[in-house]
Structure formats: structure tokens, C-alpha cells
Amino acid sequence: MDIKGKGAVVTGGGSGLGAATARALAAQGALVTVLDRNVDAGAVVAAEIGGTFAACDIADEASAKAALALSAERYGAPAILVNCAGIGGASRIVGREGPMALADFERIIRVNLIGTFNMLRLAAASISVAPPDADGNRGVIISTASVAAFDGQIGQAAYAASKGGITAMTLPAARELARFGIRVVTLAPGLFATPLLLELPEEAQAGLAASIPYPARLGLPADFAKLVLSVIDNDYVNGEVIRIDGALRLPPK
């Protein structure tokens, strides 16, 4: 799908994978709306790429609808949604303080899984009524899972469950939305140099990088963005979960 002049929405676009994706899409001529809860960071990226910023809590229906409405007002119905917004968090199921707080589990599921689905369903409804291109394509929705969906470590039960849910709904969503000419794909990144990971000491970062078979480095947000562009460009990629991890397989801890 040619993205030049097409509307694109990127959640979590104020930093990390989302910011790199927003920049890459804009560089290819897409009309990008950056969504983020961090108003300052999101507005900076949007201004940098000549796009639009909308403050958004992806797990809140009203907030998501308002953000998508602003994007549609500026650029028409989107042809691209890239879900990058999400949160981390580590907690053992049974720790020194007793069982994991249910509220902690619910919070991660709500943001990562319910938030991703919320954006997917609302964007799909908008894309489904837009005119198709000459090949019948209306759009593509790309979500972000994690290798933790497959190799979840000790303390990652909630995070792995949230990302596993995203991977599990990829194929049924692709099958359901096929009649509208909408593709659904999920990317599962490994260890990436995102703001959260870069807060670790350099020695810890080096240790993590050394665990990656090849290339033995942390993934760069630009690596992720390149894969996003490839998926958008190749109309035959659909209903798939693609790992981008340098052949990494996470150990138990």
C-alpha cells in the first residue's frame, strides 16, 4: 500500500518505538497523528514531523474516540493505525508480600490489551467505510506485542498475558476485517533501546545486548519503524505475528 498522502495514527508516538514510527511514516509522506498521554512529548514529535497531536488514553473509549475524530477532521479516515502505546511492570504471582495485587494485573491488561483492542475496533470502523484503492485495500492495523508473549519471564505474568492477548487476537481480527480490505499484523519486539530500558546502568544494558545472538546489540527504534514500513508496503502480509529480536529467546529470569 502506498502511504503517501494517507492518514496514519500512531499511539505512544511521543517516545521510543512510537516516535520512530511516526517519523518514518511522515518521511514517506503519510499524514501522521501522534497519540500519547504525555502531552509535552507527543506535541514535540508531532511538531517535528509536521503532524497533529492528540492527547489520548487508549484504554478510555471517549478519549480514543476524540483523538480519532481529530485525526479524521484533519486528514480524513486513517489508512494506517500503529499501536505502540503500552506499559511494563514486573511482579511475582506470589512474592514476599503475598499474592500479586489484582489491581496491578488489571492495570497492565487494561492498558496493553484492552487499550490496543479499543484503538483497533474504533480505527477499523473508520477505515471500513473509506474508499478502497485500486487493489481493494482500505488500510492496515499494526499492533505491538513482545517476545514476552512467547518467552515470558518470572515476574512477567501480567505483562506476558497482555501481550499474549494481542498476539492471539491478530488472526481472528485479520479474518474478520478481510472483507473490508483491512489487514491486521502484530510485531513482537525483543530487547529495544527504549526510554525504560535506557534507564538501566550501562553495564546492565551491555549484559542484555550480549545475550542477543545476532546482531549482539539492543534493537533500535528505527529497526522497528523499518519493519512497520515493510509490513505496510507488502499487501500479502496479513494475520501474522512477526518477531523482531535478533534471534533472542528470553531465559526464565
Side-chain angles (χ1 to χ4, degrees), residues 4 62 72 95 128 145-146 155 158 162 180 186-188 193 199 202 204 210-211 214-215:
K4 189 173 183 179
S128 70
S146 166
S162 71
F180 300 114
T186 293
L187 307 185
E199 291 178 1
E202 288 187 12
S211 69
Y214 187 80

Side-chain angles (χ1 to χ4, degrees), residues 8-252:
V9 175
V10 181
T11 73
S15 64
L17 305 181
T21 298
R23 293 186 182 106
L25 289 168
Q28 295 297 314
L31 306 174
V32 181
T33 302
V34 174
L35 274 55
D36 207 294
R37 292 186 67 180
N38 187 324
V39 174
D40 292 337
V44 166
V45 174
E48 173 193 330
I49 64 175
T52 294
F53 172 70
C56 181
D57 175 353
I58 61 169
D60 180 82
E61 182 173 21
S63 179
K65 282 184 174 179
L68 289 172
L70 177 61
S71 179
E73 180 184 329
R74 299 282 176 87
Y75 306 130
I80 300 160
L81 167 67
V82 186
N83 282 310
C84 290
I87 59 174
S91 181
R92 289 177 180 255
I93 298 169
V94 180
R96 294 177 182 175
E97 304 287 319
M100 178 183 181
L102 187 58
D104 292 343
F105 187 91
E106 289 176 334
R107 179 176 64 90
I108 292 174
I109 295 294
R110 177 165 181 77
V111 174
N112 292 352
L113 179 54
I114 296 176
T116 293
F117 178 75
N118 188 37
M119 295 303 305
L120 183 151
R121 72 185 183 96
L122 295 174
S126 181
I127 298 169
S128 70
V129 295
D133 66 15
D135 297 317
N137 300 310
R138 282 192 169 90
V140 56
I141 296 172
I142 301 173
S143 296
T144 304
S146 166
V147 296
F150 312 99
D151 313 331
Q153 296 181 295
I154 292 171
Q156 286 188 324
Y159 183 72
S162 71
K163 296 301 188 177
I166 294 171
T167 66
M169 72 181 178
T170 302
L171 181 58
R175 286 171 164 170
E176 183 174 338
L177 298 178
R179 66 191 181 101
F180 300 114
I182 300 172
R183 293 183 291 128
V184 181
V185 177
T186 293
L187 307 185
L191 297 175
F192 269 70
T194 57
L196 184 63
L197 195 147
L198 292 176
E199 291 178 1
L200 296 175
E202 288 187 12
E203 184 178 350
Q205 294 181 41
L208 290 171
S211 69
I212 300 170
Y214 187 80
R217 63 168 175 82
L218 298 176
L220 302 175
D223 297 324
F224 180 90
K226 287 177 185 176
L227 184 53
V228 169
L229 294 181
S230 296
V231 168
I232 294 170
D233 182 62
N234 192 329
D235 293 338
Y236 209 62
V237 179
N238 190 19
E240 187 57 83
V241 178
I242 304 171
R243 291 180 69 129
I244 173 169
D245 57 19
L248 172 71
R249 295 298 180 267
L250 296 176

